[in-house]
Amino acid sequence: MSANILVVDDSPTVRNIIKIYLMNLRLSIIEAEDATRALQLLRLVPVSVVIADINMPGMDGITFVKELRANPMPQVRGIPVILLTAEKGGDLRQRGADAGANAFIQKPVSHHDLTETVRQYLPQAAP
C-alpha cells in the first residue's frame, strides 16, 4: 500500500516540484492550495506525512501546525509535518517547532533533502 503525502503550498510551481522530487518514493500526492483546504482534506483522507509552506496567505504554516496538533482525531493530530521555509532566521523554525512541526526544509528545496526527510517519517512498510 502506498503512503499518502499532503503537500500544502499556495504556489502550484512549488507543489509540482515537490511531486517530481518525490516520484521515486512511489507515493500518492494530495495537494492543497491553502491550509484551510488542507485541514478539510485531513478529515477525509488518511495521510502519512504533511509538507506545508510556512508563508501562505490566510492561515500560515505555523498556525496550520497548531490547528493540526489540536485536532480531536488522534490519527490527524499525530501526522508528521515538514515545514518549508525561505527564511534563513532561526526564529521561524523555533516557532514552527514550538507549534509541533517535526522537520524543516529550506527553500529552494533540494531533491536530496526532501526525499531523505520524507523517508524518515514514512511508515516502515512504505518503499
Side-chain angles (χ1 to χ4, degrees):
M1 185 183 101
S2 168
N4 288 331
I5 304 291
L6 175 60
V7 178
V8 189
D9 198 304
D10 55 303
S11 164
T13 304
V14 171
R15 293 196 310 265
N16 279 328
I17 289 167
I18 291 171
K19 281 197 308 194
I20 290 166
Y21 283 0
L22 295 178
M23 277 175 28
N24 61 334
L25 295 179
R26 293 186 298 282
L27 304 165
S28 296
I29 308 283
I30 302 161
E31 297 180 55
E33 65 285 344
D34 62 44
T36 303
R37 177 73 180 131
L39 289 168
Q40 292 169 344
L41 286 168
L42 287 168
R43 288 196 296 266
L44 305 171
V45 182
V47 169
S48 299
V49 178
V50 173
I51 301 169
D53 191 15
I54 286 183
N55 291 315
M56 293 185 286
M59 187 187 310
D60 68 14
I62 291 171
T63 305
F64 166 72
V65 174
K66 288 178 183 172
E67 292 284 322
L68 186 138
R69 294 294 176 237
N71 192 292
M73 298 165 62
Q75 66 271 31
V76 171
R77 201 170 48 238
I79 298 170
V81 178
I82 300 166
L83 288 178
L84 305 175
T85 178
E87 317 254 336
K88 298 275 193 256
D91 173 57
L92 209 53
R93 285 177 185 241
Q94 187 58 53
R95 287 177 41 226
D98 291 346
N102 297 82
F104 299 87
I105 294 180
Q106 188 71 38
K107 283 183 171 179
V109 175
S110 127
H111 180 265
H112 179 265
D113 288 352
L114 183 66
T115 54
E116 289 308 305
T117 305
V118 168
R119 197 175 270 139
Q120 288 176 21
Y121 293 102
L122 288 175
Q124 293 311 307

